[in-house]
Amino acid sequence: AVGDINTILITKDGGLTWDRHIIEAFNAYYFNSVLFKELNTFYVAGNNGVFIQFKNDINGWTAYKRRISKFIDDEDEFLLVENINHILPVKIDSTVNPWNVNYRFGGYTSSPDKDLLFLVTDNNNIIVHDIDDSIPFHTDFMYLEFRNKNYTDIKTIEKKENINEFYFTGFDQST
């Protein structure tokens, strides 16, 4: 569970007891969404573009703050500062669910199998995080763009079961 002012709660017994995980450097952060990807890995997202990966090993939990940015051209970079409102895991297995999603960039082509996180934010952003580094041009994040649409603050995203359709909550300002 996550919440305001650096609130991260972890349970090891299905929710009977909870331990608060405190990281001093994150005291000012407000968290909106948490996703346990595996038993020893989870992701936390929140206000002002905060995106943190936590990994557990024999030494305990370690936090890795991820920088989400978008290159506008060869010289300019845009750093995400909008609130991240929701995280959706998407597993693309070409043998089970042929989505036929490939990326081509600079002569490189990606693998059809991918393990992704979709992050939805304020200010009309859906960002894809490549967990397994399957995108060949060595970027962890890709922005999806809506042509001629502005849905303002996107709060949630869901994937329709057994089909590659996504639904999200937002407000289309162009209508």
Side-chain angles (χ1 to χ4, degrees):
V2 296
D4 293 349
I5 310 174
N6 196 14
T7 301
I8 301 172
L9 302 173
I10 300 173
T11 183
K12 296 177 186 172
D13 57 14
L16 294 175
T17 60
W18 294 85
D19 296 318
R20 184 164 183 173
H21 191 68
I22 298 174
I23 300 173
E24 295 296 327
F26 301 160
N27 278 342
Y29 293 164
Y30 287 70
F31 303 122
N32 300 322
S33 188
V34 63
L35 172 74
F36 268 83
K37 187 70 176 127
E38 299 166 353
L39 183 62
N40 292 317
T41 303
F42 72 96
Y43 298 87
V44 172
N47 290 2
N48 300 315
V50 171
F51 185 65
I52 306 164
Q53 178 183 13
F54 289 86
K55 289 191 172 193
N56 192 16
D57 59 23
I58 60 171
N59 298 317
W61 289 100
T62 303
Y64 301 94
K65 185 176 177 193
R66 303 294 183 205
R67 180 176 180 211
I68 302 176
S69 61
K70 177 180 180 180
F71 289 95
I72 298 171
D73 55 35
D74 289 341
E75 297 176 9
D76 297 317
E77 179 182 15
F78 168 78
L79 184 62
L80 178 71
V81 293
E82 285 89 18
N83 300 337
I84 300 173
N85 299 313
H86 186 77
I87 307 169
L88 174 71
V90 176
K91 180 81 170 166
I92 300 172
D93 180 345
S94 61
T95 61
V96 175
N97 188 9
W99 198 10
N100 198 23
V101 174
N102 290 308
Y103 309 103
R104 291 193 173 102
F105 182 80
Y108 295 100
T109 302
S110 70
S111 163
D113 299 331
K114 294 171 184 47
D115 201 4
L116 307 171
L117 297 180
F118 280 49
L119 312 174
V120 295
T121 76
D122 290 351
N123 202 24
N124 203 45
N125 287 314
I126 296 180
I127 303 165
V128 179
H129 174 52
D130 181 15
I131 296 173
D132 295 331
D133 198 27
S134 63
I135 301 170
F137 37 95
H138 306 293
T139 182
D140 288 338
F141 300 95
M142 289 189 327
Y143 281 70
L144 303 182
E145 295 183 1
F146 301 103
R147 294 181 192 259
N148 305 317
K149 296 280 186 178
N150 182 357
Y151 295 102
T152 65
D153 299 345
I154 301 173
K155 297 298 181 186
T156 63
I157 186 168
E158 298 298 329
K159 181 180 179 295
K160 195 169 183 179
E161 193 172 331
N162 299 323
I163 187 169
N164 291 312
E165 290 182 9
F166 295 88
Y167 297 91
F168 61 88
T169 57
F171 179 73
D172 181 359
Q173 288 189 331
S174 65
T175 58

